[in-house]
Amino acid sequence: MPFSPAGAPYPLLDELESTGGLRALAAAELPELADEVRRFLVNSVSQTGGHLAAGLGVVELTVALHYVFETPADRLIWDVGHQAYPHKILTGRRDRMATLRQKDGLSGFLKRDESPYDAFGAGHSSTSISAALGMAVAAKAAGEQREHIAVIGDGALSAGMAFEALNHAGALDLDLLVILNDNDMSISRPVGAISNYLARVLSSGFYNRVREGGKQVLSGLPGMKDLVHRWEEHMKGMVMPGTLFEELGFNYIGPIDGHDLPLLVSTLRNMKQMQGPRFLHVVTQKGRGYPPAEGDPCVYHGVTPFNPSTGQMKKKSGGRSFTQIFSDWICDAAAADERLIAVTPAMCEGSGLVSFSERFPRRYFDVGIAEQHAVTFAAGMACEGLKPVVAIYSTFLQRAYDQMLHDVALQNLDVTFAVDRAGQVGADGATHAGSFDLSYARCIPNMAILAPSDEGECRRLLHTAYLHEGPALVRYPRGAGVGTDVDSDLPTVPWGRAVVAREGGGVAILVFGTLLATAQSVAERFDATVVNMRFVKPLDEDCVLRMAETHELLVTLEENVVSGGAGSAVNELLHRAGMANRVLNLGLPDAFIEQATQVEQQELAGLSEEQVAARIDDALRAAGAVERAAPQLNSVKTPV
């Protein structure tokens, strides 16, 4: 059916309070229900923003799954969560979709504490099969009969973890259904994705040369006509995707049309009666049913609020983002140094590499959703004299921790990590927050860590890190900065040196990153010194010790968890030096901060300007330095 504009009625959806009501519908009503879900999804996300194209592609599959299986008793595990909005709509959360990705509202991903239908929380990809297999083991141990269904996209199936789980599952006699949602897309266009496997192999020159060569050889022998036919079928069998999954121990069915509801329902019913590991290959279209998303599913993967009739999105306010600063820098640096290679794990658009990929296609590598491979791949290039830059989100770098430590740092290889989305990320919430990179990277020998305070400094520190001969990590936040000027050339800063941004006395605020503007405003109240530290590692020890000698209170300020972060580095230095200064470490609390605006998340963390000032005031009063305290500060929100 064509897409209907906002305001159209939802007669079937309005009657559904649970999936039990869905299963009471006649099969002939399901296509109309799918149409209503699709229209509701577009109209809802047009108001809130969020992930759109992936959910549009699985509307029919979602309806069929909840129609055939007894959810939530049967465990339905969606990979990532981008594709789970229709699932939320059908599982009692339609009335709350207007709160999607907002403070105290619905998560943009799956959350166990949000609904019993969310069997497993997911914000990172490729976890569904492992989780479903674990649940199947638990059911068998408890003697319970239930189904376990993992829905995974072709992009997510490119990750090694998914194949580790498939390999294990095939060796166990457990009831597990893996559904491959093959939409020829991950987030960026897939690289080596399963979705292209069949067409690529069966149309490849190699396959056809071997097939035709074998036919010619065999056809020259008497009575070999039947054998020629079997040879051709055997060749197909060796390369069809079903063969791979069959060899792993799965009963493979597919590929089938993921938008044909009667076919989906009948196939799922048949597979429900089967036992053991099963694999259903479903082909869908990302953005299905909404012309703008069908035309550009990559752009409509994640959207800001938009006009549902035209698809036109509202422009984001603010200046140039840190991602754009990185995008410009890496193109300029690549033009100056042909050794520079860009590597990203399926985040070309998000990490700002579109321009680079167009200008330097032979020096650009999107490795798919494979963070571990991305880092070791870069390490291999560094061994041979290239200078790779790994563009990656902070939350995704966590997935490649061993490779960063063992394959890069241990060998002291010249790899630069451009770490986007450091700190709080707003609507994506806790699963995507870059709250931990300073802590998990700081303890790694040989790893340099740089934290720019604004856009101009971001460009300078990126180039400083790139020229450093060894592993270096530059972390910067989501969104725009304060709007500082950015150099057009490629300047650097002195290695490991901080800079005093404001001279004062009594209190010294040591800032690591983009909270510098907050610190400068707070410093006016206390006539405090402000130091833009710039380097977390190597720490400017001379500067820190000088501040400790001349100030009674040192305040460290960072958008990273306090535990093990930059403030901890200052504490360790003072302890080694035998200095007994009072130190106030301000950063993110020991808690996961859920989705909200970035400003709201700063307040939840106790890092707004008023809260920082109040906490400094409290520290001064506790130390007896009443003359330096600010008595007007008496009411602030308590951080989580």
Side-chain angles (χ1 to χ4, degrees), residues 426-437:
D428 281 337
T431 60
H432 282 57
S435 305
F436 312 103
D437 51 73

Side-chain angles (χ1 to χ4, degrees), residues 502-523:
R502 184 188 190 279
E503 293 279 5
V507 178
I509 307 176
L510 312 181
V511 188
F512 298 86
T514 52
L515 292 175
L516 181 64
T518 297
Q520 289 175 316
S521 295
V522 169

Side-chain angles (χ1 to χ4, degrees), residues 65-84:
L65 284 167
H66 285 295
Y67 190 67
V68 172
F69 293 97
E70 298 290 329
T71 56
D74 287 335
R75 307 298 196 249
L76 177 57
I77 300 97
W78 295 91
D79 212 276
V80 185
H82 297 154
Q83 55 189 340

Side-chain angles (χ1 to χ4, degrees), residues 107-341:
S107 170
F109 299 97
L110 298 156
K111 291 186 66 178
R112 282 171 50 81
D113 60 4
E114 185 177 286
S115 169
Y117 288 93
D118 291 1
F120 193 75
H124 293 181
S125 80
S126 315
T127 61
S128 59
I129 305 174
S130 297
L133 184 60
M135 294 175 188
V137 168
K140 184 175 182 179
E144 298 177 356
Q145 293 293 323
R146 62 171 183 255
E147 292 293 330
H148 306 88
I149 308 102
V151 184
I152 186 167
D154 55 320
L157 196 62
S158 69
M161 182 177 179
F163 281 95
E164 291 171 8
L166 288 170
N167 182 58
H168 188 198
L172 301 177
D173 185 22
L174 296 170
D175 288 338
L176 173 69
L177 172 58
V178 175
I179 299 177
L180 171 60
N181 171 30
D182 182 349
N183 62 19
D184 197 28
M185 291 288 290
S186 49
I187 297 174
S188 299
R189 299 215 173 257
V191 177
I194 294 297
S195 62
N196 287 331
Y197 180 82
L198 181 60
R200 184 174 68 249
V201 172
L202 294 185
S203 63
S204 70
F206 171 77
Y207 169 76
N208 283 288
R209 284 193 301 272
V210 172
R211 183 187 65 177
E212 292 303 320
K215 286 170 65 176
Q216 290 176 9
V217 170
L218 293 174
S219 296
L221 300 176
M224 299 300 285
K225 182 177 179 179
D226 290 339
L227 181 57
V228 168
H229 178 72
R230 290 198 300 272
W231 162 262
E232 187 168 9
E233 291 303 309
H234 181 64
M235 279 296 299
K236 281 187 177 180
M238 288 194 296
V239 296
M240 289 283 281
T243 303
L244 168 63
F245 301 115
E246 292 278 355
E247 290 296 327
L248 286 172
F250 283 78
N251 190 340
Y252 172 90
I253 303 293
I256 67 170
D257 183 353
H259 301 294
D260 185 333
L261 259 169
L263 176 61
L264 282 170
V265 169
S266 63
T267 303
L268 288 172
R269 280 176 170 165
N270 290 336
M271 297 192 79
K272 184 178 180 181
Q273 303 305 314
M274 299 162 60
Q275 295 182 332
R278 290 146 287 162
F279 193 102
L280 175 61
H281 184 170
V282 175
V283 177
T284 62
Q285 179 187 14
K286 194 170 185 180
R288 175 79 170 199
Y290 185 55
E294 288 182 351
D296 199 338
C298 205
V299 167
Y300 284 85
H301 168 76
V303 297
T304 57
F306 62 94
N307 183 328
S309 297
T310 64
Q312 183 174 359
M313 294 186 214
K314 297 178 182 178
K315 292 183 179 180
K316 296 180 181 179
S317 59
R320 298 176 68 224
S321 69
F322 281 90
T323 304
Q324 291 170 320
I325 299 300
F326 166 74
S327 177
D328 291 344
W329 167 78
I330 195 169
C331 288
D332 292 343
D337 186 351
E338 63 182 14
R339 296 174 299 164
L340 190 153
I341 306 293

